[in-house]
Each structure stands twice: as structure tokens, then as C-alpha cells.
Amino acid sequence: MAGTSSWEALMNVRGTLAPCAGVLLLTAVLAGCGASGSTTVAGPKQPPPAPGESNPPGDIPDNQAYVAFAPPGAGFTVSVPEGWARTTAGPVTAFTDKLNRIEVSEHPATHPPTPASVTARDVPSLAKSVPAFVPGKATEASRKAGTAVLYTYQGNSAADPVTGKTVRDTFERYVFHHQGRDVVVTLSGPVKADNVDPWRTVTDSLRWR
């Protein structure tokens, strides 16, 4: 009888624990569901990142049109961006739009330029005329009109006539030579602007007349 009583007591304990285990399991599942649900409704859906600017300051649009320019009596033509403001001061004609500028001029020259001659002749005058001038280097550049000497440097732009603000510019100064004359094409724009293709379009467009 003692063995029987022990067996029955064990069965009674197991019977008592089974519902408790079920309750504990159900409680755990519900708790898990509650935790999962709280994650999915943590807050409103965030918007996607805003796109970057398609035209950073100083970048010339890819669809920019160009027109031929020939100064009166000059021996060359060059294409410049259509619609840019044009000013003339002595032998220099400038085309400007917002933060970019192109200057074109022609001068008598006995000998073709070299990197050394351009550095010796032009750098001192640029240092005096360009605010915060930082010298760069002179190299040869091949263009459709022939080999030019390219001098690169940095400086401040002219002050905005309205705001007085200046911009840090990078300059590309090309000196072409043909039959006793130099044609100088200087292109400038903000340091971080990507105008490689437009500047190449302009300097490749030079033609002798």
C-alpha cells in the first residue's frame, strides 16, 4: 500500500505541474508576441534620404549651348557659353555667369611660349592682380588648335557687386601661339566645381583665321 500511495502521490504532482507548465509556456509566448509587436510599432516610417543637388555651385550644366566669338580684327575664333554676360576692357573680353568666368585676349609675340617663359613673364603680374594668389605650375596641353602652355593657379574671385562676397577660385590659363601672336584663354570658377568638360569644350574650339 505504501508503494501505491507513493505512485499516486507522484502522479498527482505531475498532474498539478502540467497545467502550471502550460500556463508558463503560454505566458512566455504572449510576452514574446508583445515584445515583437512593440518593435513593429516603435514609431512612424522615416522618409528616404534627400537627393543631392544636381548642379553644385559653379558647375556649368551639361546641356549648356555654345556660340562662336571672334573679336573685331582678331585672328581667331573661340566658342563661349551662350547667354553669358560679355564685357570688354582693352584687349581682354570677359564672359561671366554666376560664379564662372572666361577671359580671352590676343597679343603680339615674337616666340612661341614655353612653360618656363610663361612662368617668368606671367606669374609676377598675376601675383599683383589676383587677390590671394597662390602659384601653381606650367605644363604643355594639346588642343585642336595646337599645343598650348597651361598655367594653373588659385586666387579669390572679384567681389560680388551686390553682396561684396568673394569665392575661392581655381584658374586655368592657356597660352596659344600662331604666326607671331599669342591668344590667352583664362577660365576660372569655384575650387570644388566640376567644369572639366566645359573648359575642354572652350579650349578645343579655338580656331585660327
Side-chain angles (χ1 to χ4, degrees):
M1 294 298 290
T4 303
S5 297
S6 298
W7 174 256
E8 290 176 349
L10 178 59
M11 293 301 293
N12 290 335
V13 172
R14 292 183 60 185
T16 302
L17 292 176
C20 293
V23 172
L24 292 173
L25 178 60
L26 178 59
T27 302
V29 171
L30 291 176
C33 292
S36 176
S38 65
T39 301
T40 58
V41 294
K45 184 178 180 180
Q46 296 298 315
E53 293 184 73
S54 59
N55 290 312
D59 278 14
I60 299 172
D62 293 337
N63 61 353
Q64 172 67 56
Y66 297 82
V67 294
F69 166 70
F76 71 96
T77 62
V78 64
S79 294
V80 296
E82 185 177 26
W84 285 24
R86 171 180 161 184
T87 58
T88 300
V92 179
T93 301
F95 300 87
T96 56
D97 180 69
K98 299 175 183 176
L99 301 177
N100 295 297
R101 181 180 180 91
I102 299 172
E103 292 184 357
V104 181
S105 60
E106 185 178 45
H107 314 272
T110 305
H111 303 289
T114 65
S117 69
V118 167
T119 300
R121 180 189 65 190
D122 295 351
V123 171
S125 61
L126 291 173
K128 294 178 181 179
S129 61
V130 178
F133 173 78
V134 173
K137 62 179 181 179
T139 59
E140 291 187 344
S142 179
R143 292 296 185 265
K144 293 182 179 180
T147 300
V149 173
L150 166 61
Y151 184 69
T152 58
Y153 55 98
Q154 289 189 7
N156 290 348
S157 68
D160 185 279
V162 177
T163 65
K165 182 180 179 180
T166 61
V167 177
R168 191 63 178 167
D169 280 350
T170 183
F171 294 77
E172 295 183 6
R173 180 182 175 91
Y174 292 81
V175 184
F176 296 87
H177 182 85
H178 183 71
Q179 295 182 352
R181 61 185 186 273
D182 283 350
V183 170
V184 181
V185 181
T186 304
L187 314 109
S188 60
V191 169
K192 294 184 179 181
D194 181 11
N195 288 328
V196 173
D197 291 339
W199 289 165
R200 183 66 185 241
T201 296
V202 172
T203 55
D204 257 344
S205 71
L206 184 71
R207 298 290 185 273
W208 304 109
R209 300 198 300 173

